[in-house]
Amino acid sequence: PELEISYQLSNSISVYTNLSYSSLPVAKISNGLLKPEIENGLEIGIETEFLNDRFSATLYLYDGTQRNVTLINASDPELEVLVEKQSSQDIGLEIVGEITPGWNAIVYYAYTKARIAQSPQFPVNSQVPNVASHNGGFWTTYEIQAGALQGLGFGSGTLAIAQVILRIVLNYQAIGKPI
């Protein structure tokens, strides 16, 4: 479930907060059952519209905690490894707008600090694998406004990411405990 509260400060500026909770069943890990993956999050932000309401911008902060998360063991891809708790803090900016009739664009950037907070096997405070610290992008679409092809649209975009840890390699002894 989610709970969002927003407040309109003026005709073009509003603030919001969003609380979220989710629970996702996890099938198995090393032939054993796990507790569900649980996520709690809090987002606060400010939204504004400008240039005669043709553009909008959202600046947000997010703080989230995930529990009972499984990651693929880089040393043995058939084996999943439990992360008891990981945390994520984000700050992001998104600008969306209509440049001209039919031509729309989205520009965004986010910084994410995703860290392992509690794990018997991964180093605490290490970066969560496959989560980019920096990501951003630009997307644009155009829809023909008149003539025989009116309504036909197309679009393109690009995504940029930086500082991604793809995996954390665990070394195992014969008895199966990390060394």
Side-chain angles (χ1 to χ4, degrees):
E2 284 190 30
L3 172 65
E4 183 168 330
I5 300 169
S6 62
Y7 182 74
Q8 193 80 30
L9 296 174
S10 70
N11 286 340
S12 61
I13 299 174
S14 63
V15 292
Y16 70 92
T17 185
N18 182 310
L19 294 167
S20 62
Y21 171 86
S22 66
S23 178
L24 177 67
V26 178
K28 65 179 183 173
I29 182 170
S30 301
N31 298 323
L33 296 177
L34 282 181
K35 295 177 185 176
E37 185 175 312
I38 296 172
E39 181 173 355
N40 297 304
L42 170 65
E43 181 177 336
I44 59 173
I46 185 166
E47 299 176 326
T48 186
E49 294 180 349
F50 53 97
L51 295 177
N52 296 324
D53 296 337
R54 288 185 18 240
F55 285 83
S56 66
T58 303
L59 176 66
Y60 69 88
L61 301 169
Y62 173 81
D63 183 50
T65 301
Q66 300 82 31
R67 298 183 189 282
N68 305 321
V69 178
T70 57
L71 300 175
I72 303 262
N73 179 352
S75 301
D76 182 0
E78 297 295 318
L79 180 65
E80 293 180 323
V81 180
L82 175 66
V83 174
E84 293 173 357
K85 181 180 175 184
Q86 64 187 37
S87 64
S88 173
Q89 292 79 38
D90 302 27
I91 183 169
L93 174 66
E94 178 181 89
I95 300 171
V96 178
E98 182 181 43
I99 299 167
T100 63
W103 183 19
N104 297 293
I106 299 172
V107 177
Y108 67 92
Y109 169 78
Y111 171 76
T112 301
K113 182 180 178 183
R115 298 288 184 249
I116 294 175
Q118 183 178 349
S119 174
Q121 296 160 319
F122 292 108
V124 171
N125 207 31
S126 59
Q127 184 173 339
V128 174
N130 297 320
V131 178
S133 293
H134 301 274
N135 73 74
F138 171 77
W139 300 90
T140 185
T141 62
Y142 182 76
E143 184 176 299
I144 298 172
Q145 300 295 297
L149 297 178
Q150 182 177 358
L152 176 65
F154 51 92
S156 182
T158 185
L159 166 69
I161 60 173
Q163 294 182 341
V164 178
I165 302 297
L166 297 178
R167 61 187 181 169
I168 298 175
V169 177
L170 299 175
N171 295 314
Y172 280 87
Q173 295 175 339
I175 58 173
K177 294 189 176 184
I179 56 172

